[in-house]
Amino acid sequence: MKSSLQFYGGMPLPVRVIAPSRLAALRERAGLSKAELARRVGVSTRMVFFYEKGRHTPTPQRLQKMAAALHCDVEELTGVRRGEEGLVDLRFAAGLTLDQAVELLRRTRVGRDLCLSPPRLSALEQGRPVLGRNWRDRDVVGRLPTALAKIYGVPVRMVVDAWMRTRPDESAPVRPRLQPQRGSSDSAEAAWRSLNERQQVYLGEILRDERMTETEMWMRRTHHLPVPRPAEWRKLPLALHAPADVVGYTRLQERLRRNGVHDPGAGATVHALARRGLLVTSTDVVHHAEAGEVTRVRVEMTRRGRAAARAGLGERAEQQPDTPLLSEWLWGVMARVADAGPDGLERDALSGRAPFYLGVGYKNRSAGRPSRGFIDEVPVLAADGSHVVGYRWKLTPVGLRHAVEYLDEYRRRYPQVDTTGVAALAGEHS
């Protein structure tokens, strides 16, 4: 029987093996016969039979076609969970062979500087030493993840994470370059100063109400209750077009009343904020027990409005993380998991969005951010080891490496996050 492996100088290319039982199950779930799947992939029925018996492995292009035909991700065929991808997985998911990837990389400056070839890219993917000109130059090699991200169609941070999983004994290939973001802060402060006192009160109270609503959504997730999409709950009820003695006041109206600015001029103030691009207004119709069908006015903060309100309230402006760093919120989650120590963090403590951005195996919405795979749910066994009594969150090896590798950068960027637990782990692994 011929092997489906290709060789470069006697060295087998890294391939992603599909589990035969998984392929058969996915084909049956899609309602496809072997012949129909073969037609869609562009191979013979006999070859599909060989795939399902584990006697052949599909090429990257065929693996991608197979995933499309079965309406699944490549990861479902290979068994690689989200957040566990290595460099070879990213290439296979992009449907590229080594030759094709190298051809694309050789068109870039870094590809030429590193004299990339199929054997060198293969060695990189297999975690073996890569020999050649400039491969010891961190500045040159540090440009390669950006080029790989471009040809694979993924974020740079995903390539960096896959690189660290593939080559665990090396330093991270990319160092963040923290840039001051004063320009955006100046713009937010100027937008706040352009408002009159009444408009400032409105914008500040709307921001506070949004935060209270976000906390309520988090509590609902914690108690496993249904939560509307952010695009819906961020539209805050401002007023009902009905007599107040019948329908009462919304929470936002009560906030404004306490500040002495809720009066017939509310509409003009809201429209002035909307004209400046700080708010978006909308209306819908809701049912009230006593007033029946009434029109409701809702307001939603724009990013510019949120930045202006934060500046006006004297809060530090939100910063976008530099590649491959996490946002302040997600770094705080990582610090909490690290601080929980060897026993891990209670599973329900992270019932919000964090697992979708950090957890192994989690899949965000279509076209959403890929999981970083920095934390994982680890089963806790009963004392006699007979069954699982629960799960706890712990840092994965790459999550630990990321935290230790970039600890100093995070401390400079987010000084208010307590990193005691991370520092202790860094000391243990230094």
XYZ file of all heavy atoms in Angstrom, residues 15 86 89 201 211 214 222 361 379 388 400 404 407:
94
model
N 1.481 15.818 9.636
C 0.124 15.761 9.109
C -0.850 15.718 10.273
O -0.481 15.438 11.404
C -0.095 14.506 8.227
C 0.789 14.561 7.003
C 0.166 13.225 9.006
N -1.645 23.831 17.238
C -0.230 24.069 17.015
C -0.058 24.747 15.661
O -1.037 24.987 14.941
N -1.564 22.880 12.754
C -3.032 22.923 12.706
C -3.526 24.171 11.988
O -4.511 24.121 11.244
C -3.607 22.882 14.123
C -3.249 21.601 14.845
O -3.569 20.521 14.317
O -2.652 21.669 15.932
N -24.348 65.387 32.901
C -25.054 64.560 33.888
C -25.754 63.403 33.183
O -25.702 62.248 33.627
C -26.063 65.412 34.687
C -26.951 64.507 35.549
C -25.338 66.418 35.565
N -23.539 50.085 33.234
C -22.715 49.206 34.066
C -23.567 48.374 35.013
O -23.281 47.191 35.241
C -21.721 50.055 34.860
C -20.595 50.604 34.005
C -19.730 51.522 34.786
N -18.555 51.923 34.033
C -17.743 52.901 34.390
N -17.986 53.585 35.504
N -16.694 53.205 33.664
N -25.008 45.621 32.990
C -24.002 44.600 32.693
C -23.790 43.684 33.892
O -23.649 42.466 33.738
C -22.687 45.265 32.297
C -21.632 44.279 31.847
C -20.434 44.955 31.212
O -20.268 46.174 31.386
O -19.652 44.250 30.535
N -24.404 33.726 35.968
C -23.944 32.961 37.125
C -25.009 31.998 37.608
O -24.715 30.880 38.047
C -23.545 33.922 38.263
O -22.498 34.784 37.800
C -23.065 33.160 39.485
N -11.493 24.410 24.183
C -12.683 23.724 23.706
C -13.883 24.607 23.482
O -14.885 24.161 22.926
N -11.369 18.101 35.753
C -12.282 17.350 36.620
C -11.688 17.114 38.012
O -10.484 16.902 38.163
C -12.465 16.021 35.872
C -11.252 15.895 35.011
C -10.868 17.291 34.628
N -16.406 11.687 38.957
C -16.118 13.127 38.960
C -17.172 13.848 39.785
O -18.379 13.676 39.560
C -16.098 13.677 37.514
C -15.930 15.194 37.522
C -14.999 13.020 36.703
N -0.006 29.300 31.387
C 1.023 29.590 32.375
C 2.224 30.255 31.717
O 2.770 31.239 32.238
C 1.446 28.291 33.070
C 2.608 28.399 34.060
C 2.282 29.380 35.175
C 2.940 27.017 34.625
N 3.608 34.039 32.618
C 4.973 34.245 33.102
C 5.774 35.078 32.111
O 6.507 35.993 32.499
C 5.652 32.884 33.350
C 7.128 33.070 33.665
C 4.959 32.146 34.495
N 4.462 38.820 32.145
C 4.083 39.379 33.436
C 4.528 40.824 33.592
O 3.757 41.686 34.031
C 4.667 38.516 34.570
C 4.402 39.016 35.994
C 2.903 39.134 36.257
C 5.046 38.075 37.017
